[in-house]
Amino acid sequence: MGIKFLRGDVALVVIVTIFLACALVSAQLGIPNQFWGSVKDSDGDSAPDGILVIAKINNQDVAATTTRNGFYGYSSIFYVQDPNGNRQDRTIEFFVNNIKVAEHTFSNGDT
């Protein structure tokens, strides 16, 4: 036994589908930025495991990870999230052992 749709039923299904798609798109918040790289000491040697790397926006910690084999963001992904969709063009400052080492402008979907 097949399902029969009347024209009104098909129109209702299409409208509901479009509404749900629009709701999902509008509910999507900012896309996170992903960071990775290496950490070296003043002699150019790789940092030991466990060195803290912190990302801050407006002097507030927004993400943190630690080094492994002199690298960060590889074995555990290092994302700076945008949970409220309001971090576009804000400056992310990066600190290693509480020393500012770099900065980046947040751009939704940037890596």
Side-chain angles (χ1 to χ4, degrees):
M1 174 196 293
I3 298 174
K4 294 183 180 180
F5 289 103
L6 300 174
R7 280 190 179 176
D9 293 339
V10 173
L12 180 61
V13 169
V14 170
I15 289 170
V16 169
T17 303
I18 291 171
F19 175 75
L20 289 175
C22 290
L24 289 173
V25 170
S26 66
Q28 182 180 6
L29 298 176
I31 300 169
N33 284 207
Q34 181 180 359
F35 297 94
W36 63 90
S38 61
V39 177
K40 300 194 181 292
D41 65 18
S42 58
D43 295 327
D45 298 323
S46 293
D49 290 355
I51 298 295
L52 186 61
V53 179
I54 298 175
K56 295 183 179 191
I57 296 177
N58 294 332
N59 209 32
Q60 293 184 343
D61 295 3
V62 294
T65 191
T66 56
T67 57
R68 183 170 179 208
N69 298 321
F71 295 95
Y72 70 94
Y74 291 95
S75 60
S76 67
I77 297 174
F78 186 41
Y79 283 123
V80 174
Q81 303 286 340
D82 189 8
N84 299 315
N86 63 354
R87 290 188 171 160
Q88 180 69 30
D89 297 326
R90 293 204 181 167
T91 301
I92 306 167
E93 297 177 308
F94 294 91
F95 293 80
V96 174
N97 279 350
N98 294 316
I99 299 170
K100 182 178 173 182
V101 295
E103 62 181 49
H104 178 80
T105 301
F106 191 98
S107 179
N108 278 316
D110 205 10
T111 56

